[in-house]
Amino acid sequence: RKEVEQDPGPFNVPEGATVAFNCTYSNSASQSFFWYRQDCRKEPKLLMSVYSSGNEDGRFTAQLNRASQYISLLIRDSKLSDSATYLCVVQLNTGNQFYFGTGTSLTVIP
Amino acid sequence: GAVVSQHPSRVICKSGTSVKIECRSLDFQATTMFWYRQFPKQSLMLMATSNEGSKATYEQGVEKDKFLINHASLTLSTLTVTSAHPEDSSFYICSARDRVGESTDTQYFGPGTRLTVL
């Protein structure tokens, strides 16, 4: 069983739409959670960490549900520049390796 | 954010040759660096964890004699793909771990090296 599972998409949404991605993880002892963004043929870049209480950064909101072992990312008012692959990342403990999901592809259409 | 560089960005080589990839943390000291490989439409897969001054820890299925890792300083780790074959063609990405206190543990990624073995 994979450590982290994501729906690969693709998600094609119009500009201004709201889109949500979910990700599930298998190890209930996981402690740290992140969303990374990866543009085509580029390295992943940290979008935001995910905290137990949920957190928001501008148009982006991340939620963690420990009971169901899933993480979500909500993007409001989608921009063309949001088109990318969004990677869900889970870490067992601080200092341990990161486990990456396969990524969810988003294309925002004019 | 922290900057990690990787060199070369792209390499094309003949089968049987060895390729060396460098990963540098430019504005912080990284006691731990990670090497990932990403095949098209797949997730990043951790190959090995590189700790400064000690031997790398390899993930299951990764041949340590084929993928040589050296982490000689706090800012430099190298990955050498020995006797590369076409199936080694992939996107190799390094990351460096920047710890700020005990509550923040972020990995910063290099720009990646696209290896094509003919």
Side-chain angles (χ1 to χ4, degrees):
Chain A
R1 184 182 175 186
K2 290 183 180 179
E3 294 284 343
V4 181
E5 302 230 31
Q6 280 182 263
D7 178 353
F11 285 69
N12 300 314
V13 302
E15 266 188 292
T18 296
V19 61
F21 307 136
N22 287 329
C23 155
T24 58
Y25 59 96
S26 60
N27 193 329
S28 60
S30 299
Q31 295 295 320
S32 302
F33 310 90
F34 310 88
W35 282 101
Y36 276 73
R37 170 192 169 131
Q38 186 175 24
D39 291 289
C40 188
R41 303 172 83 87
K42 296 284 183 66
E43 77 278 20
K45 293 188 177 177
L46 179 65
L47 180 65
M48 59 197 303
S49 301
V50 186
Y51 303 120
S52 296
S53 55
N55 47 302
E56 187 174 308
D57 183 3
R59 298 180 294 108
F60 299 86
T61 301
Q63 297 277 356
L64 167 64
N65 185 319
R66 286 190 183 273
S68 302
Q69 293 179 214
Y70 81 78
I71 309 142
S72 65
L73 176 68
L74 183 77
I75 305 176
R76 290 182 299 276
D77 189 23
S78 299
K79 312 289 185 191
L80 296 177
S81 57
D82 293 334
S83 297
T85 296
Y86 291 83
L87 301 167
C88 175
V89 182
V90 173
Q91 186 182 31
L92 186 60
N93 284 310
T94 300
N96 285 14
Q97 72 174 83
F98 284 26
Y99 291 97
F100 286 80
T102 53
T104 299
S105 173
L106 171 67
T107 302
V108 180
I109 304 163
Chain B
V3 178
V4 175
S5 72
Q6 215 173 312
H7 178 80
S9 58
R10 190 179 191 98
V11 60
I12 301 172
C13 68
K14 292 182 179 179
S15 185
T17 59
S18 292
V19 176
K20 189 178 193 178
I21 303 170
E22 291 187 351
C23 177
R24 292 180 187 273
S25 57
L26 298 183
D27 54 1
F28 66 100
Q29 293 184 332
T31 54
T32 305
M33 289 185 173
F34 303 89
W35 286 96
Y36 294 86
R37 182 167 52 181
Q38 186 177 34
F39 292 106
K41 298 188 186 301
Q42 293 188 26
S43 180
L44 277 77
M45 295 300 296
L46 180 67
M47 299 175 67
T49 302
S50 169
N51 294 300
E52 187 265 338
S54 63
K55 290 184 179 180
T57 304
Y58 289 81
E59 294 301 302
Q60 192 173 13
V62 178
E63 299 174 58
K64 62 180 181 180
D65 294 329
K66 181 171 180 63
F67 298 99
L68 301 178
I69 291 172
N70 183 282
H71 193 160
S73 77
L74 286 172
T75 59
L76 173 65
S77 176
T78 60
L79 167 69
T80 302
V81 183
T82 61
S83 187
H85 287 96
E87 59 266 29
D88 297 324
S89 299
S90 187
F91 191 46
Y92 291 85
I93 306 177
C94 73
S95 72
R97 188 166 141 242
D98 185 15
R99 290 190 70 175
V100 180
E102 289 300 320
S103 61
T104 302
D105 187 0
T106 303
Q107 286 194 29
Y108 294 95
F109 288 85
T113 297
R114 192 160 298 281
L115 171 64
T116 303
V117 185
L118 302 176

